[in-house]
Amino acid sequence: MNRLFLIGCALMMLFSCEKKLLEDEEEFEEAQANLIINVFEMEQMPFAPLRTAASEVCTRLNFAIYDVDRNRVKQINQQVVDEHFGTAYFLLPEGDYQVVVVAHSSDGNPTMTDPTRVQFKNSQGFTDTFLYSHETTLTDQQQTLNASLDRIVALCRFVITDDYPEQVAKMRFYYTGGSGAFNAYTGLGSVNSKQEMTFDVSAGQKQFDLYTFLHDTEGTIHLKVTALDAQDQELDEREFDVPLKRNFISKVSGPYFDQSGAQNTIEIEINTEWDGEIDLTF
């Protein structure tokens, strides 16, 4: 009897926990909600104005609401295949809140428990990332926010211009000086990260995009690039200090395997337009 009682209690606790988790992710219909957040489209400049759906910019949206003590009170995660992708409904008590929306295309959702440390797992990879952060006061009247998101990453684009030796199977990029987490209030990096990305180059890939959150609007990363064989044995390694700026591309290009010119053959240039300024707007 005691054994059956303990099993029953365990099942009740499990059901209770599952119910709470489901409630944390619950979305309310428009008629019930007192807060509606829309992420609808983006505008690309300085080319001719072109409005594009958010679904063409990112594959994931994370909506999080924090109270005045920076406690997360609600979070809704969406994927591009979801029916209401780009619109989230909340039913919250009256009061003051911080509304945060993150747009990205990583393999998973970031950890958003602490708004000063929104963090992606390194295994998820890092992608182009946009942020909307806004203070609002909720009443019993329905409020709609049209979220305009800003890019908060810097991009190091590493390009190899010579051919791969036959034994090279992978390229590993290890870099410090940036951050894998950001402060949702400032959009700046909030930890000192050791970031690493490894790419299979069997298909001949020669361009590699490495994203990070800078601790200020400008910064420098120390980049170690290693060529590996199929068994992850190191074949060649080179190091670079790359200047970065938020919302810009720093392109690092040159003949990686041709050692005749060593570091002098590597060129670093900063593209100040990033194919145009991108702003997500309603």
Side-chain angles (χ1 to χ4, degrees), residues 50-62:
L50 174 64
R51 295 187 177 274
T52 308
S55 60
E56 297 186 25
V57 178
C58 60
T59 60
R60 291 182 184 267
L61 290 169
N62 306 108

Side-chain angles (χ1 to χ4, degrees), residues 20-39:
K20 184 179 186 305
L21 289 172
L22 289 173
E23 287 176 349
D24 287 343
E25 292 292 330
E26 184 177 359
E27 280 198 75
F28 295 88
E29 295 300 325
E30 181 175 356
Q32 298 173 287
N34 63 343
L35 175 63
I36 302 172
I37 305 172
N38 288 320
V39 179

Side-chain angles (χ1 to χ4, degrees), residues 247-274:
N247 199 27
F248 293 96
I249 300 172
S250 291
K251 182 180 178 182
V252 185
S253 62
Y256 177 89
F257 297 99
D258 181 2
Q259 298 297 315
S260 61
Q263 297 283 2
N264 294 331
T265 64
I266 296 295
E267 296 180 0
I268 299 176
E269 62 181 61
I270 297 181
N271 176 358
T272 59
E273 292 187 355
W274 197 322

Side-chain angles (χ1 to χ4, degrees), residues 160-222:
I160 296 173
T161 59
D162 54 351
D163 294 330
Y164 290 110
E166 184 177 352
Q167 64 270 36
V168 175
K170 304 174 185 178
M171 295 298 296
R172 182 176 65 205
F173 299 85
Y174 173 84
Y175 49 109
T176 57
S179 176
F182 63 89
N183 185 323
Y185 294 94
T186 65
L188 297 176
S190 56
V191 299
N192 294 316
S193 296
K194 298 176 181 179
Q195 296 177 254
E196 183 175 324
M197 299 289 290
T198 300
F199 299 86
D200 184 337
V201 297
S202 58
Q205 179 181 356
K206 290 189 175 183
Q207 176 177 298
F208 308 92
D209 286 349
L210 311 171
Y211 293 89
T212 195
F213 304 107
L214 296 176
H215 297 282
D216 204 338
T217 54
E218 298 184 33
T220 299
I221 60 169
H222 183 74

Side-chain angles (χ1 to χ4, degrees), residues 135-155:
E135 292 182 11
T136 191
T137 299
L138 294 181
T139 66
D140 58 351
Q141 300 297 311
Q142 189 177 87
Q143 179 182 161
T144 298
L145 296 177
N146 296 321
S148 177
L149 283 74
D150 296 316
R151 177 183 283 115
I152 57 172
V153 291
L155 173 60

Side-chain angles (χ1 to χ4, degrees), residues 28 33-35 37 63-65 74-76 88-92:
F28 295 88
N34 63 343
L35 175 63
I37 305 172
F63 302 80
I65 311 295
K74 280 288 183 181
Q75 181 173 338
I76 293 173
Y89 302 98
F90 295 88
L91 181 60
L92 298 166

